[in-house]
Amino acid sequence: MADLFDADRLSRCISCGFCLPACPTYAMTGDEASSPRGRITLMRALEAGRLEPDDPTLTEQASLCLGCRACEPVCPAGVEYGQLLEEWRGAQWQGRRRPLIVRALVLLVRLRPAHRLAGILRRAARRKAPEADQLMLGCVERTLFPRVSRAALALAPGLAADPDQGCCGALHAHNGEPEKGAAMARRLGDDLPGTIVTTSGGCAAHLASVIGRERVREFSEYVQDQRFQPIMIDGRPARVTLQDSCHLRNGLGVWREPRRLLQSVAEYVELPSAATCCGAAGTYALVRPRESRTLAKAKVAEIEAAGVDMVVAVNPGCLRQLRQALRRHRSGVRAVHLTEFLALSTKGSH
């Protein structure tokens, strides 16, 4: 079996092991096969035909990987592991080898009329202005968290939000359909001319990789020069922490901007594992619920120990994961999206 992977990407790994301490699944299992280095070894075996696509180890590791890309910033050889994972799942997750829940989800998010209807029913943001910078309305976000887009328009009223826009294709790219995911990103880029502003870290990283970084801005980047009034709770500054979006931090290198915004309006507390995956990881929480809950449980313990009022997310999947985990553990801490939190402030001068 040949030509499954980009040859340069696959050959770049020098098996140095710098990725091991950064990998959450290696930390959970202690198994070399569950590390980026080990998985690249498996990819090479698949490429060379030494392992068949239905090999049990390949099947297990293709789904166990979070795809968080925490290995990329620490890799001295510059291995593009996220791209390799997409190619691997593109080869591995074909037909019945793809998890059933993933098959259902990728079909669902292709339905543009369904997204438009969901946006109407859930009252997601909508404002047509072809010449303005465009707010991307995420598929999951439009349905589950419509307040996020409404808050974004309130904070940045110069943005437009076209209700007819479709999916960016990130879900497809990360789950076995890299070509389809790229095509959907290009189409969205054509539908939304100019600068596209996103409130989803995973979508931002995928979209930027296809249509160009110069056209994509995550929301915290977009409003980083604006000034906001302090956010108070019971007469004192709100005490908050942040959970990074893995793809936003590791893929786009955006992590300082949301922290600066939070520090400007609240008492900010850094979580020890803020840069480590919360276990949401796109479809991971559905495909690997046990491992996902293990990661979320540790995250909740840190949040509780920090003594914060709220934990802020910059990605809808992380927001869903944190809310569910906090609810399971009967925590009094609230999980909110960055736009929702900033909307608690009265915007001041630029």
Side-chain angles (χ1 to χ4, degrees):
M1 186 174 292
D3 301 325
L4 300 178
F5 300 92
D6 178 276
D8 177 63
R9 287 195 193 109
L10 196 59
S11 65
R12 204 175 297 173
C13 176
I14 57 175
S15 299
C16 66
F18 275 78
C19 59
L20 300 184
C23 179
T25 53
Y26 179 72
M28 276 197 295
T29 66
D31 182 1
E32 171 75 15
S34 300
S35 71
R37 179 175 71 178
R39 290 183 177 117
I40 289 174
T41 299
L42 292 173
M43 293 178 203
R44 288 169 172 165
L46 177 64
E47 175 84 355
R50 296 193 300 272
L51 291 176
E52 295 298 322
D54 58 356
D55 179 88
T57 303
L58 285 176
T59 301
E60 169 70 4
Q61 292 303 328
S63 68
L64 181 60
C65 181
L66 289 151
C68 67
R69 298 171 63 179
C71 50
E72 291 187 22
V74 300
C75 178
V79 175
E80 297 174 291
Y81 181 84
Q83 293 293 324
L84 287 172
L85 179 63
E86 289 181 7
E87 292 172 348
W88 184 18
R89 287 180 176 170
Q92 189 81 27
W93 284 7
Q94 295 297 315
R96 296 192 177 188
R97 289 197 299 271
R98 182 188 292 187
L100 182 60
I101 187 66
V102 172
R103 281 182 265 164
L105 285 173
V106 294
L107 288 173
L108 181 63
V109 299
R110 287 181 189 172
L111 305 176
R112 287 176 68 131
H115 298 316
R116 178 180 172 82
L117 179 60
I120 293 171
L121 294 177
R122 297 285 288 155
R123 297 190 301 115
R126 51 188 298 151
R127 181 188 296 154
K128 284 198 174 186
E131 301 304 316
D133 292 337
Q134 302 289 320
L135 178 67
M136 195 197 85
L137 301 171
C139 307
V140 172
E141 202 171 75
R142 231 181 299 191
T143 303
L144 297 183
F145 308 115
R147 291 181 185 175
V148 171
S149 59
R150 295 201 301 267
L153 286 197
L155 294 164
L159 286 174
D162 187 343
D164 296 323
Q165 63 185 269
C167 176
C168 73
L171 187 71
H172 298 75
H174 301 157
N175 289 279
E177 295 185 9
E179 294 85 4
K180 179 68 176 178
M184 293 173 75
R186 286 190 290 270
R187 181 177 178 181
L188 185 64
D190 292 340
D191 290 346
L192 303 178
T195 298
I196 299 176
V197 180
T198 83
T199 50
S200 169
C203 297
H206 170 68
L207 197 58
S209 72
V210 178
I211 69 171
R213 179 67 171 101
E214 69 282 356
R215 288 197 56 200
V216 179
R217 290 291 178 270
E218 189 270 333
F219 190 80
S220 69
E221 293 182 284
Y222 192 72
V223 300
Q224 64 180 317
D225 294 327
Q226 294 182 193
R227 294 184 182 275
F228 299 92
Q229 296 300 317
I231 297 172
M232 311 295 287
I233 295 178
D234 297 331
R236 60 170 173 80
R239 187 174 167 89
V240 300
T241 190
L242 176 75
Q243 170 59 41
D244 279 304
S245 158
C246 294
H247 279 221
L248 185 64
R249 181 174 182 127
N250 301 322
L252 284 191
V254 174
W255 56 277
R256 298 176 183 87
E257 293 85 347
R259 284 169 170 78
R260 290 186 191 124
L261 286 169
L262 294 177
Q263 288 165 354
S264 72
V265 297
E267 180 184 351
Y268 179 73
V269 180
E270 182 76 5
L271 289 180
S273 71
T276 303
C277 187
C278 66
T283 60
Y284 193 83
L286 301 174
V287 176
R288 307 287 305 217
R290 183 174 65 84
E291 291 84 358
S292 176
R293 287 196 175 200
T294 297
L295 292 168
K297 182 179 180 180
K299 193 71 66 173
V300 169
E302 281 193 4
I303 293 169
E304 289 283 338
V308 295
D309 301 301
M310 301 182 205
V311 54
V312 175
V314 286
N315 189 69
C318 303
L319 181 58
R320 175 182 176 274
Q321 174 84 339
L322 292 170
R323 284 187 178 176
Q324 289 185 341
L326 291 166
R327 193 178 301 122
R328 274 197 307 270
H329 294 276
R330 300 181 180 179
S331 173
V333 180
R334 288 175 55 202
V336 297
H337 191 277
L338 177 67
T339 63
E340 295 177 289
F341 184 71
L342 291 177
L344 297 174
S345 167
T346 301
K347 189 167 61 176
S349 61
H350 287 235

